[in-house]
Amino acid sequence: MSPVFDCHDEAQLLAGMRQARQAIGRGELVVLPTDTVYGVAADAFSARAVHGLLEAKGRGRQSPPPVLVAGVATLRALVAEVPEPVERLVEAFWPGGLTIVLPAQPSLSWDLGDTFGTVAVRMPANNLALELLEETGPLAVSSANLTGQAAAITAADAQRMLGDSVAVYLDGGPSLTGIASTIVDATSLVGSGSAPLVRVLREGAVARTDLRGGLGDLLEPDPTPGDSPGEQS
């Protein structure tokens, strides 16, 4: 059975972080707490590891995972451009529950699935996650659940669903909110498009009203009653 480390215990934390780093280096999966829900993580630059992540969740290449980063410098290295409105979003909501989709840096050698040249990036507001990201580099991270089931808000939830497909579980206690990140598509802000508009792909931890405070009319119009919300990953 895959080990679970109680990260409130200093000895277990040190051992768990060491084993998590080693597991990521071997192309294996790690479950970790974030500021939203628990995530299952893999080396973003290992196609085999990312495939294993999707397989563990019961998903295909059509559902590529977001990438978690330790800071804005890594965001700049992963995307083709960071437009000024996105700079405002990052300043206001990072670290935190906002995932931003942008065109990926074309020179990167990775395979996250059917991304169509984009990447979804987030900086989590969780010290344990940030420490691991500082040591491993960018991680492909999706919510730690089987597709169609609720996202895990405890390490035990994640273990119940994902079992031994994950090498190491880092238990940071229950998620504070259990609300997944908001995902916005800002790809139209890059390039020479005539009608740039930021779209909300999934409602979550950051409210539309807060996004509109930073983006104004660059944010798509609010949905009308009956529109369906985005799907949880």
Side-chain angles (χ1 to χ4, degrees):
M1 181 177 292
S2 300
V4 180
F5 294 92
D6 179 357
C7 295
H8 293 109
D9 179 295
E10 186 173 355
Q12 290 195 47
L13 171 61
L14 292 172
M17 291 294 281
R18 182 178 67 253
Q19 290 204 27
R21 291 192 302 269
Q22 293 170 347
I24 293 295
R26 293 192 299 266
E28 296 172 344
L29 305 183
V30 170
V31 159
L32 73 162
T34 77
D35 51 321
T36 56
V37 296
Y38 271 76
V40 55
D43 179 358
F45 290 97
S46 167
R48 180 176 64 84
V50 174
H51 174 76
L53 185 158
L54 294 174
E55 189 172 51
K57 283 178 61 78
R59 306 191 98 168
R61 289 178 53 84
Q62 73 278 6
S63 302
V67 173
L68 294 192
V69 298
V72 179
T74 310
L75 167 70
R76 296 186 192 283
L78 297 183
V79 302
E81 180 184 331
V82 181
E84 190 275 334
V86 172
E87 298 267 12
R88 299 201 301 267
L89 291 178
V90 166
E91 183 175 353
F93 302 113
W94 278 21
L98 181 66
T99 300
I100 304 170
V101 180
L102 285 166
Q105 173 60 250
S107 63
L108 290 177
S109 177
W110 63 358
D111 182 7
L112 297 171
D114 296 337
T115 64
F116 304 101
T118 68
V119 61
V121 188
R122 183 168 88 87
M123 179 184 179
N126 178 281
N127 288 337
L128 192 150
L130 290 173
E131 181 180 341
L132 187 62
L133 289 162
E134 288 279 6
E135 296 176 350
T136 63
L139 294 175
V141 180
S142 186
S143 54
N145 61 291
L146 295 174
T147 296
Q149 297 192 29
I153 60 172
T154 67
D157 288 341
Q159 188 179 38
R160 174 177 52 80
M161 288 185 276
L162 299 175
D164 288 340
S165 64
V166 170
V168 175
Y169 289 83
L170 299 176
D171 185 353
S175 301
L176 293 178
T177 67
I179 300 173
S181 70
T182 295
I183 303 177
V184 298
D185 180 355
T187 54
S188 69
L189 302 182
V190 178
S192 57
S194 58
L197 202 65
V198 175
R199 296 188 300 123
V200 177
L201 302 182
R202 180 177 74 191
E203 307 254 3
V206 177
R208 277 179 180 266
T209 53
D210 294 329
L211 292 172
R212 194 167 300 284
L215 292 172
D217 290 341
L218 282 176
L219 184 68
E220 67 178 355
D222 290 343
T224 57
D227 287 350
S228 58
E231 180 184 346
Q232 191 158 305
S233 68

